[in-house]
């Protein structure tokens, strides 16, 4: 029986050697296609997250700069938040639940304004990759308040000035 098995294996090897590897490229493509599609979807996922991170970074940076040149704390908060939301909208980033946090530190000369922007990125449309739900992307930027900036002057009207 051992002799029969050897003869059968030898015949099989001769047949494989004679026909070469015909059809193996079809098998390779069939095996590699799902892997390549998965890799492509992973690249799309990474690209989306990087693009959103850049947009959120720009929003935080612009908002911090806008807040640092405002004249009052209230104006700094309002203008910084509005700038962040406008930047996200201008970059076609739909973040209806974007969170903007502004810290002015008293808006004192030599101080800094810090703005944090958070945005939830939906990932559910990448169904084939199996990524669940969404991901929150956050960025924080700080802009210094000019040390030599002046303060808003409150000029009095002639009727309220003290007379000598």
């Amino acid at each position: 029986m051992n002799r029969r098995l050897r003869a059968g294996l030898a015949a099989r090897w001769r047949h494989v050697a004679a026909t070469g590897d015909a059809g193996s490229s079809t098998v390779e493509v069939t095996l590699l296609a799902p892997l390549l599609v998965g890799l492509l979807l992973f690249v799309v996922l990474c690209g989306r997250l990087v693009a959103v991170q850049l947009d959120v970074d720009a929003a935080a940076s612009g908002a911090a700069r806008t807040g640092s040149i405002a004249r009052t704390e209230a104006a700094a908060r309002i203008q910084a938040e509005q700038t962040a939301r406008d930047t996200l909208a201008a970059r076609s980033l739909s973040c209806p639940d974007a969170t903007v946090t502004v810290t002015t530190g008293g808006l004192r000369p030599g101080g800094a304004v810090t703005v944090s922007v958070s945005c939830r990125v939906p990932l559910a449309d990448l169904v084939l990759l199996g990524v669940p739900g969404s991901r929150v992307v956050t960025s924080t930027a700080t802009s210094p308040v000019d040390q030599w900036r002046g303060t808003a002057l409150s000029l009095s009207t002639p009727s309220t000035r003290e007379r000598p």
Side-chain angles (χ1 to χ4, degrees), residues 6-64:
R6 284 186 188 178
L9 285 174
R12 178 71 182 141
W13 279 110
R14 280 192 298 272
H15 176 68
V16 168
T19 59
D21 56 355
S24 67
S25 62
T26 305
V27 173
E28 289 171 0
V29 170
T30 303
L31 294 175
L32 290 179
L35 180 65
L36 293 175
V37 169
L39 182 64
L40 178 66
L41 288 174
F42 181 71
V43 168
V44 169
L45 169 71
C46 291
R48 179 178 294 174
L49 291 176
V50 167
V52 170
Q53 183 67 54
L54 290 172
D55 293 342
V56 172
D57 286 346
S61 179

Side-chain angles (χ1 to χ4, degrees), residues 129-146:
L129 196 56
V131 179
S134 60
R135 177 168 176 164
V136 176
V137 177
T138 303
S139 181
T140 302
T142 302
S143 182
V145 177
D146 186 14

Side-chain angles (χ1 to χ4, degrees), residues 78-130:
I78 292 169
Q79 291 172 4
E81 184 168 346
Q82 187 61 44
T83 299
R85 294 191 188 284
D86 289 347
T87 302
L88 292 175
R91 291 177 175 251
S92 300
L93 188 61
S94 61
C95 270
D97 59 345
T99 305
V100 181
T101 306
V102 181
T103 306
T104 61
L107 207 63
R108 290 183 297 273
V113 173
T114 302
V115 177
S116 292
V117 179
S118 295
C119 179
R120 184 172 299 279
V121 182
L123 302 173
D125 56 340
L126 296 174
V127 176
L128 293 176
L129 196 56

Side-chain angles (χ1 to χ4, degrees), residues 61-75:
S61 179
R65 179 65 184 139
T66 299
S68 72
I69 60 176
R71 289 310 209 176
T72 64
E73 274 191 77

